[in-house]
Amino acid sequence: MTVDLLSVWFAAVATGWLLFNLGVLASLRHVPPLVSLRRTTSSPKSEPGVTVVVAARNEAERIEESVRRLLAQSAVDLELVVVDDRSDDGTREILEGLSTEDPRLRIVRVDELPDDWLGKQHACHVGSKAARGEWILFTDADTWMSPELIADSVRAAVAQQADLLCLLPLQKRINVWGRAAVLNFSMGLVIAAARAN
């Protein structure tokens, strides 16, 4: 009896995918959703001090809405540091206009990328050095948060005695192939997060 090589290959891939998914499901018990942590934690006596660091390069199309949404966070003593990483599309001008409206927004400009650095990592490093808050949140210029997310996240981290909290965002405005790619990537992150926990 001969076995078709393609059938063997397909069976091996399908088995590997099944085992990977079972591993993700087993790992989920170590990665509690923020909603369940929110129910079990009490409100802090004072608002936590959080610096949000946003690395932004050529984000003129969305930076205003992103900044306004971040400044709308509730129940948190917020400082927003936006690192303008060599933008040349009007991002800086938009940020400067917003900073006149709200003193919690600080702009740090990067004009030159040092050797041996990648742009985003360097911008995050520069932003972290400018941070004054007890907690630092790194986020992207195209990530929008519900108004209570930062306070809930810090409360959950304190309740779990965690020094680091990583949130996996919901992806919107992407096609089905993008969703499939994000799902696959996120499933791998679940296993890594479970190991960390």
Side-chain angles (χ1 to χ4, degrees), residues 140-163:
D140 291 334
D142 62 351
T143 301
W144 297 340
M145 302 174 196
S146 60
E148 65 285 341
L149 180 71
I150 294 177
D152 286 348
S153 300
V154 171
R155 189 165 49 246
V158 169
Q160 297 290 312
Q161 298 179 340
D163 295 320

Side-chain angles (χ1 to χ4, degrees), residues 158-181:
V158 169
Q160 297 290 312
Q161 298 179 340
D163 295 320
L164 174 70
L165 179 69
C166 181
L167 301 173
L168 301 176
L170 173 67
Q171 300 290 327
K172 292 188 175 181
R173 299 183 185 176
I174 57 176
N175 62 26
V176 68
W177 297 111
R179 288 177 189 254

Side-chain angles (χ1 to χ4, degrees), residues 87-151:
S87 295
D88 58 11
D89 69 341
T91 297
R92 182 174 181 85
E93 292 76 15
I94 294 168
L95 289 170
E96 286 173 348
L98 292 168
S99 69
T100 63
E101 297 176 22
D102 196 320
R104 296 177 297 164
L105 170 61
R106 290 194 297 131
I107 308 161
V108 178
R109 172 78 180 175
V110 171
D111 291 309
E112 189 173 316
L113 181 64
D115 292 338
D116 300 325
W117 278 95
L118 297 175
K120 186 168 187 175
Q121 287 78 3
H122 179 256
C124 288
H125 171 71
V126 168
S128 70
K129 289 172 64 176
R132 299 177 187 147
E134 178 185 0
W135 291 87
I136 301 176
L137 169 65
F138 296 96
T139 190
D140 291 334
D142 62 351
T143 301
W144 297 340
M145 302 174 196
S146 60
E148 65 285 341
L149 180 71
I150 294 177

